[in-house]
Amino acid sequence: MFKTILVPLDGSPMSEQALTLAVRLAQSHSADVHLVHVHSPYTTTPITIEGLPVIDEELRSLAATHELTYLRQLAASLPISDHEPIIARLEGPIAFALNRYCYDIGADLVVLTTHGRNGFTQLWIGSVAESLLRSLHIPLLMLRPSPEMPEPTPFRHILVPLDGSALAEQILPHAVTLADQEGAELTLVRVIEGDPNTGPGGVTYRPHENTLTAQRETAQVYLDRLTQDLLARGHPAHCRVVAAEHPARAILATATDVGADLIALATRGRSGLSRAILGSVADKVLRGGNLPVLALRPSEMG
């Protein structure tokens, strides 16, 4: 269960779209919700509150007053009965401040609306979300912004891409928790190499049919085992093996095909500020799709 949910807010209606989902999960899990704003002295669009001046009589900025009033007003408007929302105004680099706060409160889920544009070659996740994915080992539930406040509709079908590794499987408990709460079914998918590929020197090769058959059978046995385990524990689950040249595109196409409304996956990669933490497949799924994504940086310790 998710017990402590953090929602980063920047004062924009777009960031507030994450509140609907966060509130629904908090109600279901009897979880604490933390509404957090990180003050940025460089923002060109500071939060304004109707009826409050921007500066005081000594020409000092009232940014802190505005930001705290904004958080208090949001907290008071949320229909959470079990626990009153907790508000926090932080200072410092945004991603660093959020990261530190997550550890301080023991957050086990971050729900946020991402900034960005569609397309494999364009930015999907904002810099804050990507920085959190690099540094946290708790799931981030990232939502696409929409022109209007989204309806509070539960997720009904969650697609979980797996690659056969224990690292990738670390997303499963979180996906199951969300599926149980939302009344959703799970589809596990594994993509195997199935189309012509370009090797060294630009030489195009096609995997041998026997190799493809062996890969498919191995992947099917793997997914069947996981699926049967989920079914035995009462979780509605299915599985698919897909042969494709481009795994990320195959994952997105499978999500459309099965009617998924959420993709849950573990990112892969290496730690360190100078290295990309997102694996190439996860990165393309995050940047190329329109669905909400539950993403987790797996821990080497499991």
Side-chain angles (χ1 to χ4, degrees):
M1 294 181 65
F2 300 121
K3 301 304 296 181
T4 306
I5 301 172
L6 183 143
V7 184
L9 299 161
D10 63 10
S12 71
M14 184 174 69
S15 70
E16 294 167 18
Q17 291 182 13
L19 290 170
T20 300
L21 176 56
V23 166
R24 186 172 79 237
L25 295 176
Q27 291 281 56
S28 303
H29 292 261
S30 189
D32 289 321
V33 175
H34 292 248
L35 310 183
V36 181
H37 175 76
V38 182
H39 173 70
S40 173
Y42 309 109
T43 180
T44 58
T45 55
I47 293 174
T48 59
I49 302 296
E50 185 177 356
L52 289 182
V54 177
I55 57 176
D56 65 13
E57 61 275 6
E58 296 183 13
L59 303 182
R60 292 175 300 194
S61 171
L62 294 178
T65 301
H66 280 238
E67 290 162 358
L68 286 171
T69 301
Y70 164 74
L71 291 172
R72 291 190 187 107
Q73 289 181 351
L74 274 184
S77 69
L78 297 182
I80 299 179
S81 57
D82 294 333
H83 303 276
E84 182 177 344
I86 300 164
I87 66 170
R89 177 188 181 270
L90 310 178
E91 302 230 7
I94 297 174
F96 177 81
L98 291 173
N99 182 300
R100 182 177 57 190
Y101 188 78
C102 279
Y103 280 108
D104 287 345
I105 66 173
D108 49 21
L109 179 67
V110 178
V111 182
L112 74 165
T113 307
T114 61
H115 297 245
R117 299 169 294 175
N118 296 335
F120 280 97
T121 61
Q122 296 177 311
L123 182 63
W124 193 100
I125 49 178
S127 59
V128 172
E130 190 162 6
S131 294
L132 292 177
L133 274 174
R134 287 193 180 117
S135 56
L136 294 175
H137 288 295
I138 63 173
L140 271 67
L141 183 42
M142 299 179 289
L143 311 176
R144 286 285 200 175
S146 62
E148 299 178 358
M149 185 66 73
E151 293 294 326
T153 305
F155 297 119
R156 293 304 184 195
H157 200 140
I158 301 174
L159 184 75
V160 186
L162 298 168
D163 63 7
S165 71
L167 287 176
E169 290 174 22
Q170 288 183 32
I171 191 61
L172 264 177
H174 305 292
V176 168
T177 294
L178 195 57
D180 286 349
Q181 179 50 55
E182 299 283 277
E185 60 182 312
L186 295 160
T187 292
L188 313 183
V189 61
R190 176 136 184 221
V191 180
I192 62 172
E193 185 180 50
D195 286 320
N197 291 275
T198 301
V203 177
T204 299
Y205 70 94
R206 181 183 296 274
H208 192 276
E209 183 177 349
N210 290 340
T211 301
L212 285 178
T213 300
Q215 288 182 5
R216 182 179 293 276
E217 290 176 349
T218 299
Q220 192 66 58
V221 169
Y222 166 73
L223 291 182
D224 283 343
R225 174 178 59 81
L226 292 177
T227 303
Q228 291 304 316
D229 180 62
L230 290 172
L231 290 171
R233 291 186 284 137
H235 310 300
H238 315 274
C239 64
R240 282 194 178 196
V241 177
V242 178
E245 180 181 3
H246 302 288
R249 293 178 182 175
I251 289 168
L252 294 172
T254 302
T256 300
D257 190 37
V258 303
D261 46 20
L262 174 72
I263 297 175
L265 79 170
T267 64
R268 300 294 299 274
R270 298 167 295 178
S271 59
L273 295 178
S274 61
R275 298 175 179 177
I277 189 61
L278 298 179
S280 60
V281 173
D283 181 59
K284 290 176 181 176
V285 170
L286 288 165
R287 297 179 190 276
N290 290 309
L291 293 177
V293 175
L294 182 71
L296 172 73
R297 176 192 174 191
S299 169
E300 294 292 341
M301 300 300 295

